[in-house]
Amino acid sequence: MAYDTIEFSLRDGVATLVLNRPDRLNSFNEAMHQEVRQALTEVQAAVEAGDCRALLLTGNGRGFCAGQDLSDRNVAPGDEMPDLGYSIETYYNPLIRTLTALPVPVVCAVNGVAAGAGANIALACDIVLAARSASFTQAFAKIGLVPDSGGTWQLPRQVGLARAKGLAMLGDKLGAEQAEAWGLIWRVVDDEGLRDEAARLAAHLATQPTRGLALIKQALNESGTNDLDTQLDLERDLQRQAGRTADYREGVAAFMEKRSPKFSGQ
Ligand code: T3D
């Protein structure tokens, strides 16, 4: 399918989705929401078919994503205000749920500023690399809104309540190196090497035990709300599933035979 507001490709087990409205810092308008949704539907089908084993998300231009396109929200005095709850329910929440539930690793390469929902979409990905010049801003407070797209859930868990409140209430830009130091992202990469490094990482993940990685993702995601007993039970159940995969058999055989494993993703 041809896209206008994104670029999408699927090659060698890696789906790559590039936000492509650089003159608006890749902020979301309705068309981009629809196209991202369509591309992720393609990803889900490819994952089910065994053709996609990792997803890479990034942006074109000097920004990763500036959240909602505010030119679609500029209401003249007296005109009806848009229902933002509808927008969240229709677009942002399903996007976060899809990324979180996708049973393959999602790598995010934050190539520039990530603002508002754009920041929290990045944080919903599994492994986040950021260009050294990139930054994250919970810009919502500056326009009278509340962090959405999972921000109020992710931030206190990732950086603690004190920093979460500072980020959310001040909306200041947090530089990539500080974000790494605070444990908000996996790693900072020099700007010029970001796309290649992220592609290498996604390609590597696409050769790994895909079922096992999906179960790891599930366990870590559910740990956010489970108590220890529940989590121990979950680990038992997921390990049982992992222990029945062809990739586990291959991993053990390769170890015993002192050779590199060749994982099929099954
Ligand atoms: O509404 C709903 O559906 C509810 C859901 C909401 C989710 C949200 O994401 S709400 C939060 C929306 N986003 C923001 O509030 C961020 C707004 N942007 C900024 O604060 C700044 O642009 C940045 C901090 C991201 C970057 O600053 P800077 O100085 O590097 O760039 P700039 O000059 O401000 O922006 C460059 C251009 O992009 C500029 O256009 P121009 O002047 O060159 O024609 C700017 O207007 C445009 N731009 C940036 N962000 C947005 C945008 N245009 C529309 N919407 C944007 N969000």
Side-chain angles (χ1 to χ4, degrees):
M1 169 162 178
Y3 292 105
D4 291 328
T5 63
I6 63 169
E7 295 169 355
F8 180 70
S9 63
L10 175 57
R11 244 174 258 119
D12 300 328
V14 178
T16 303
L17 196 169
V18 185
L19 304 177
N20 191 29
R21 300 182 70 231
D23 53 328
R24 284 282 164 268
L25 299 183
N26 301 321
S27 56
F28 274 88
N29 61 6
E30 181 106 7
M32 196 164 93
H33 274 301
Q34 301 285 3
E35 294 196 343
V36 168
R37 172 175 298 184
Q38 176 59 37
L40 290 178
T41 302
E42 289 191 45
V43 171
Q44 284 168 320
V47 168
E48 270 179 40
D51 296 333
C52 174
R53 295 170 64 187
L55 168 65
L56 170 59
L57 176 63
T58 189
N60 275 341
R62 73 175 182 87
F64 167 68
C65 174
Q68 173 63 37
D69 186 329
L70 294 176
S71 55
D72 291 347
R73 297 289 182 264
N74 197 9
V75 181
D79 285 359
E80 197 181 335
M81 304 286 283
D83 178 359
L84 302 193
Y86 173 83
S87 166
I88 300 290
E89 184 65 17
T90 308
Y91 296 119
Y92 292 98
N93 283 355
L95 171 56
I96 298 301
R97 290 190 172 113
T98 298
L99 293 174
T100 307
L102 204 63
V104 296
V106 181
V107 175
C108 186
V110 181
N111 51 297
V113 65
N120 295 333
I121 290 165
L123 299 181
C125 297
D126 299 313
I127 299 189
V128 184
L129 302 180
R132 204 168 295 283
S133 68
S135 59
F136 298 81
T137 161
Q138 298 292 321
F140 308 90
K142 291 187 186 272
I143 54 169
L145 293 185
V146 178
D148 58 29
S149 304
T152 60
W153 192 88
Q154 289 280 5
L155 289 173
R157 283 173 171 77
Q158 289 188 255
V159 299
L161 196 54
R163 284 170 172 166
K165 284 186 175 169
L167 290 171
M169 291 186 170
L170 299 172
D172 290 347
K173 279 188 183 171
L174 185 74
E177 288 180 354
Q178 192 71 61
E180 182 191 88
W182 283 9
L184 200 59
I185 62 169
W186 172 239
R187 214 153 67 71
V188 170
V189 176
D190 286 337
D191 288 25
E192 53 283 6
L194 177 74
R195 191 68 83 87
D196 284 351
E197 178 74 20
R200 256 195 306 277
L201 181 60
H204 165 73
L205 287 164
T207 64
Q208 295 305 294
T210 306
R211 287 290 305 136
L213 296 184
L215 298 172
I216 291 172
K217 176 168 173 168
Q218 182 185 342
L220 292 175
N221 284 346
E222 292 189 23
S223 75
T225 45
N226 283 344
D227 61 22
L228 177 61
D229 272 337
T230 311
Q231 193 67 14
L232 288 172
D233 288 349
L234 178 67
E235 288 177 359
R236 174 202 60 212
D237 295 344
L238 298 184
Q239 199 71 301
R240 182 169 284 139
Q241 290 182 47
R244 289 176 178 148
T245 60
D247 280 343
Y248 169 62
R249 189 194 299 271
E250 165 63 5
V252 174
F255 177 81
M256 297 309 294
E257 293 160 21
K258 298 190 187 305
R259 62 174 173 81
S260 298
K262 199 165 168 13
F263 295 118
S264 65
Q266 301 305 309

mmCIF file of all heavy atoms in Angstrom, residues 159-178:
data_model
loop_
_atom_site.group_PDB
_atom_site.id
_atom_site.type_symbol
_atom_site.label_atom_id
_atom_site.label_comp_id
_atom_site.label_asym_id
_atom_site.label_seq_id
_atom_site.Cartn_x
_atom_site.Cartn_y
_atom_site.Cartn_z
ATOM 1 N N VAL A 159 10.968 6.822 36.037
ATOM 2 C CA VAL A 159 11.889 7.818 36.627
ATOM 3 C C VAL A 159 11.510 8.176 38.061
ATOM 4 O O VAL A 159 12.210 8.972 38.682
ATOM 5 C CB VAL A 159 11.972 9.111 35.764
ATOM 6 C CG1 VAL A 159 12.499 8.794 34.383
ATOM 7 C CG2 VAL A 159 10.625 9.819 35.656
ATOM 8 N N GLY A 160 10.442 7.585 38.610
ATOM 9 C CA GLY A 160 10.013 7.925 39.977
ATOM 10 C C GLY A 160 9.054 9.113 39.958
ATOM 11 O O GLY A 160 9.013 9.898 39.014
ATOM 12 N N LEU A 161 8.304 9.224 41.056
ATOM 13 C CA LEU A 161 7.222 10.205 41.101
ATOM 14 C C LEU A 161 7.725 11.657 41.068
ATOM 15 O O LEU A 161 7.131 12.523 40.421
ATOM 16 C CB LEU A 161 6.369 9.961 42.358
ATOM 17 C CG LEU A 161 4.998 10.614 42.401
ATOM 18 C CD1 LEU A 161 4.169 10.263 41.169
ATOM 19 C CD2 LEU A 161 4.255 10.200 43.675
ATOM 20 N N ALA A 162 8.836 11.907 41.772
ATOM 21 C CA ALA A 162 9.330 13.291 41.847
ATOM 22 C C ALA A 162 9.692 13.805 40.454
ATOM 23 O O ALA A 162 9.294 14.907 40.044
ATOM 24 C CB ALA A 162 10.534 13.370 42.772
ATOM 25 N N ARG A 163 10.459 12.984 39.706
ATOM 26 C CA ARG A 163 10.864 13.403 38.365
ATOM 27 C C ARG A 163 9.672 13.396 37.412
ATOM 28 O O ARG A 163 9.568 14.252 36.526
ATOM 29 C CB ARG A 163 11.981 12.497 37.844
ATOM 30 C CG ARG A 163 13.318 12.833 38.502
ATOM 31 C CD ARG A 163 14.381 11.822 38.197
ATOM 32 N NE ARG A 163 15.679 12.293 38.685
ATOM 33 C CZ ARG A 163 16.756 11.530 38.803
ATOM 34 N NH1 ARG A 163 16.696 10.244 38.484
ATOM 35 N NH2 ARG A 163 17.883 12.033 39.253
ATOM 36 N N ALA A 164 8.763 12.436 37.606
ATOM 37 C CA ALA A 164 7.573 12.384 36.746
ATOM 38 C C ALA A 164 6.768 13.668 36.906
ATOM 39 O O ALA A 164 6.314 14.261 35.915
ATOM 40 C CB ALA A 164 6.718 11.172 37.111
ATOM 41 N N LYS A 165 6.597 14.106 38.125
ATOM 42 C CA LYS A 165 5.815 15.334 38.347
ATOM 43 C C LYS A 165 6.518 16.548 37.770
ATOM 44 O O LYS A 165 5.895 17.433 37.176
ATOM 45 C CB LYS A 165 5.538 15.521 39.843
ATOM 46 C CG LYS A 165 4.440 14.584 40.338
ATOM 47 C CD LYS A 165 4.059 14.881 41.778
ATOM 48 C CE LYS A 165 2.877 14.021 42.203
ATOM 49 N NZ LYS A 165 2.633 14.064 43.651
ATOM 50 N N GLY A 166 7.839 16.604 37.946
ATOM 51 C CA GLY A 166 8.598 17.727 37.386
ATOM 52 C C GLY A 166 8.460 17.769 35.867
ATOM 53 O O GLY A 166 8.172 18.819 35.282
ATOM 54 N N LEU A 167 8.646 16.600 35.240
ATOM 55 C CA LEU A 167 8.553 16.540 33.773
ATOM 56 C C LEU A 167 7.151 16.913 33.309
ATOM 57 O O LEU A 167 6.978 17.680 32.355
ATOM 58 C CB LEU A 167 8.897 15.122 33.280
ATOM 59 C CG LEU A 167 10.360 14.690 33.402
ATOM 60 C CD1 LEU A 167 10.507 13.196 33.086
ATOM 61 C CD2 LEU A 167 11.250 15.506 32.472
ATOM 62 N N ALA A 168 6.132 16.360 33.994
ATOM 63 C CA ALA A 168 4.753 16.540 33.532
ATOM 64 C C ALA A 168 4.245 17.951 33.806
ATOM 65 O O ALA A 168 3.490 18.517 33.008
ATOM 66 C CB ALA A 168 3.844 15.511 34.209
ATOM 67 N N MET A 169 4.636 18.539 34.928
ATOM 68 C CA MET A 169 4.079 19.848 35.283
ATOM 69 C C MET A 169 4.848 21.013 34.660
ATOM 70 O O MET A 169 4.287 22.080 34.433
ATOM 71 C CB MET A 169 4.042 20.007 36.802
ATOM 72 C CG MET A 169 3.018 19.093 37.443
ATOM 73 S SD MET A 169 2.875 19.412 39.197
ATOM 74 C CE MET A 169 1.422 18.440 39.595
ATOM 75 N N LEU A 170 6.133 20.787 34.387
ATOM 76 C CA LEU A 170 6.927 21.879 33.810
ATOM 77 C C LEU A 170 6.983 21.800 32.288
ATOM 78 O O LEU A 170 7.100 22.828 31.617
ATOM 79 C CB LEU A 170 8.342 21.861 34.397
ATOM 80 C CG LEU A 170 8.392 22.065 35.921
ATOM 81 C CD1 LEU A 170 9.794 21.842 36.453
ATOM 82 C CD2 LEU A 170 7.887 23.463 36.294
ATOM 83 N N GLY A 171 6.951 20.580 31.755
ATOM 84 C CA GLY A 171 7.004 20.419 30.297
ATOM 85 C C GLY A 171 8.346 20.808 29.705
ATOM 86 O O GLY A 171 8.444 21.033 28.498
ATOM 87 N N ASP A 172 9.388 20.895 30.557
ATOM 88 C CA ASP A 172 10.711 21.266 30.036
ATOM 89 C C ASP A 172 11.261 20.155 29.153
ATOM 90 O O ASP A 172 10.927 18.980 29.316
ATOM 91 C CB ASP A 172 11.699 21.485 31.200
ATOM 92 C CG ASP A 172 11.380 22.744 31.988
ATOM 93 O OD1 ASP A 172 10.584 23.558 31.497
ATOM 94 O OD2 ASP A 172 11.930 22.892 33.097
ATOM 95 N N LYS A 173 12.155 20.548 28.245
ATOM 96 C CA LYS A 173 12.828 19.539 27.415
ATOM 97 C C LYS A 173 13.846 18.784 28.269
ATOM 98 O O LYS A 173 14.636 19.402 28.992
ATOM 99 C CB LYS A 173 13.579 20.221 26.263
ATOM 100 C CG LYS A 173 12.701 20.581 25.085
ATOM 101 C CD LYS A 173 13.574 21.069 23.929
ATOM 102 C CE LYS A 173 12.730 21.519 22.762
ATOM 103 N NZ LYS A 173 13.506 22.188 21.718
ATOM 104 N N LEU A 174 13.815 17.463 28.167
ATOM 105 C CA LEU A 174 14.812 16.618 28.819
ATOM 106 C C LEU A 174 15.727 16.101 27.712
ATOM 107 O O LEU A 174 15.264 15.405 26.794
ATOM 108 C CB LEU A 174 14.109 15.441 29.517
ATOM 109 C CG LEU A 174 14.995 14.514 30.346
ATOM 110 C CD1 LEU A 174 15.417 15.200 31.650
ATOM 111 C CD2 LEU A 174 14.272 13.211 30.658
ATOM 112 N N GLY A 175 16.993 16.440 27.787
ATOM 113 C CA GLY A 175 17.940 16.019 26.751
ATOM 114 C C GLY A 175 18.115 14.506 26.748
ATOM 115 O O GLY A 175 17.881 13.830 27.761
ATOM 116 N N ALA A 176 18.558 13.984 25.600
ATOM 117 C CA ALA A 176 18.689 12.534 25.451
ATOM 118 C C ALA A 176 19.652 11.947 26.485
ATOM 119 O O ALA A 176 19.389 10.873 27.043
ATOM 120 C CB ALA A 176 19.170 12.220 24.044
ATOM 121 N N GLU A 177 20.766 12.653 26.752
ATOM 122 C CA GLU A 177 21.740 12.085 27.694
ATOM 123 C C GLU A 177 21.153 12.018 29.101
ATOM 124 O O GLU A 177 21.366 11.057 29.837
ATOM 125 C CB GLU A 177 23.039 12.897 27.659
ATOM 126 C CG GLU A 177 23.786 12.635 26.348
ATOM 127 C CD GLU A 177 25.090 13.401 26.226
ATOM 128 O OE1 GLU A 177 25.383 14.242 27.100
ATOM 129 O OE2 GLU A 177 25.802 13.157 25.235
ATOM 130 N N GLN A 178 20.383 13.054 29.480
ATOM 131 C CA GLN A 178 19.722 13.040 30.787
ATOM 132 C C GLN A 178 18.665 11.928 30.820
ATOM 133 O O GLN A 178 18.495 11.242 31.829
ATOM 134 C CB GLN A 178 19.073 14.398 31.053
ATOM 135 C CG GLN A 178 18.612 14.597 32.490
ATOM 136 C CD GLN A 178 19.770 14.754 33.460
ATOM 137 O OE1 GLN A 178 20.546 15.680 33.339
ATOM 138 N NE2 GLN A 178 19.900 13.839 34.401
#
